[in-house]
Amino acid sequence: MAVVHRTTLQPTKLELLTAWLPTRAWYTGGEPRPARVGGFRLDDPAGEVGIEFMVVADGEGDEAAAYLVPMTYRAGPLEGADEALIGTSEHGVLGRRWIYDGTHDPVLVAQLYALHTGRAEAQDQSLTDTPDPTVAVSPAAGASAADAELVRVTEGPDHSDVVVRTPGAPAPLTLRVRRVLRAETDADAAPDGGGRVTAEWRRPDGTTARGVYTAVLPER
């Protein structure tokens, strides 16, 4: 169970993202001023790695975009993931944290696949041991219940494709992480042979949008 501490983080996650977002191919803004507008957490069964799917809004009014940034928080560097490092920060309770783009972190990837296969539960972004009932999962049809192993990550214009392998599966699967979120209807969010996780975020006008955060793409 991940514990959400009420403490300081210096620099803050949003300050780190202000510098990191413009380095991403899928970022469409100018001078970033990100604000947290949604997301959820997942638990690391080993209790070592913090896992958060944060949605940040950037821009003004109708021109504002919503970006999904999966992040992991570690007590030390993740070997071989230097290019995925968002930054380091001093946590008021836990000390120095290494914060990574979670699509490159095998712990987050394994738990995201577990969420898609019904073996993990989305947790509230700000509360300890509190499920988030607004996160909906359409299970991936025929997906293995085994643990997923990260193979590689490919960046697209508005998404990241995370290729995973599971024991006994005939071929790898792709977890598509939507980077630029778009509001969709219930019909749009229906599974098409894979599986999807849909969740909410806040628009600049205070209304709530819902769309696909992540999907398991069907084998081709």
Side-chain angles (χ1 to χ4, degrees):
M1 177 187 70
V3 176
V4 179
H5 297 277
R6 303 295 181 185
T7 188
T8 58
L9 196 66
Q10 296 295 332
T12 68
K13 288 177 278 189
L14 290 177
E15 287 171 340
L16 291 174
L17 290 178
T18 297
W20 182 79
L21 280 170
T23 69
R24 304 299 95 188
W26 37 263
Y27 178 69
T28 61
E31 182 179 350
R33 293 189 296 273
R36 189 177 78 166
V37 294
F40 62 89
R41 289 179 178 264
L42 294 175
D43 282 339
D44 170 17
E48 297 293 331
V49 178
I51 302 172
E52 181 177 10
F53 287 75
M54 180 186 287
V55 181
V56 295
D58 187 62
E60 301 291 339
D62 294 340
E63 300 301 318
Y67 300 100
L68 176 60
V69 185
M71 291 185 282
T72 55
Y73 312 104
R74 288 177 164 267
L78 174 60
E79 184 177 355
D82 290 352
E83 293 184 0
L85 182 67
I86 294 174
T88 60
S89 186
E90 293 296 327
H91 191 279
V93 175
L94 302 175
R96 179 161 294 184
R97 299 284 98 180
W98 278 255
I99 302 176
Y100 287 93
D101 175 0
T103 60
H104 295 263
D105 192 314
V107 173
L108 180 145
V109 171
Q111 289 309 108
L112 175 58
Y113 183 74
L115 177 66
H116 274 281
T117 55
R119 296 175 296 116
E121 185 175 27
Q123 299 291 309
D124 189 278
Q125 194 173 22
S126 303
L127 300 174
T128 298
D129 195 24
T130 304
D132 187 338
T134 69
V135 179
V137 181
S138 299
S144 168
D147 291 337
E149 175 187 353
L150 173 61
V151 177
R152 63 180 179 275
V153 181
T154 303
E155 299 294 342
D158 61 358
H159 62 269
S160 297
D161 280 345
V162 182
V163 178
V164 301
R165 181 184 296 111
T166 57
L173 283 174
T174 298
L175 302 177
R176 174 159 290 181
V177 177
R178 294 280 182 88
R179 294 299 199 161
V180 183
L181 297 180
R182 298 179 178 85
E184 301 189 15
T185 68
D186 289 341
D188 292 328
D192 57 1
R196 298 186 181 186
V197 172
T198 61
E200 299 175 347
W201 64 93
R202 296 184 305 281
R203 296 187 178 100
D205 63 4
T207 61
T208 299
R210 169 174 286 274
V212 175
Y213 274 37
T214 65
V216 177
L217 302 188
E219 293 183 30
R220 302 188 184 280

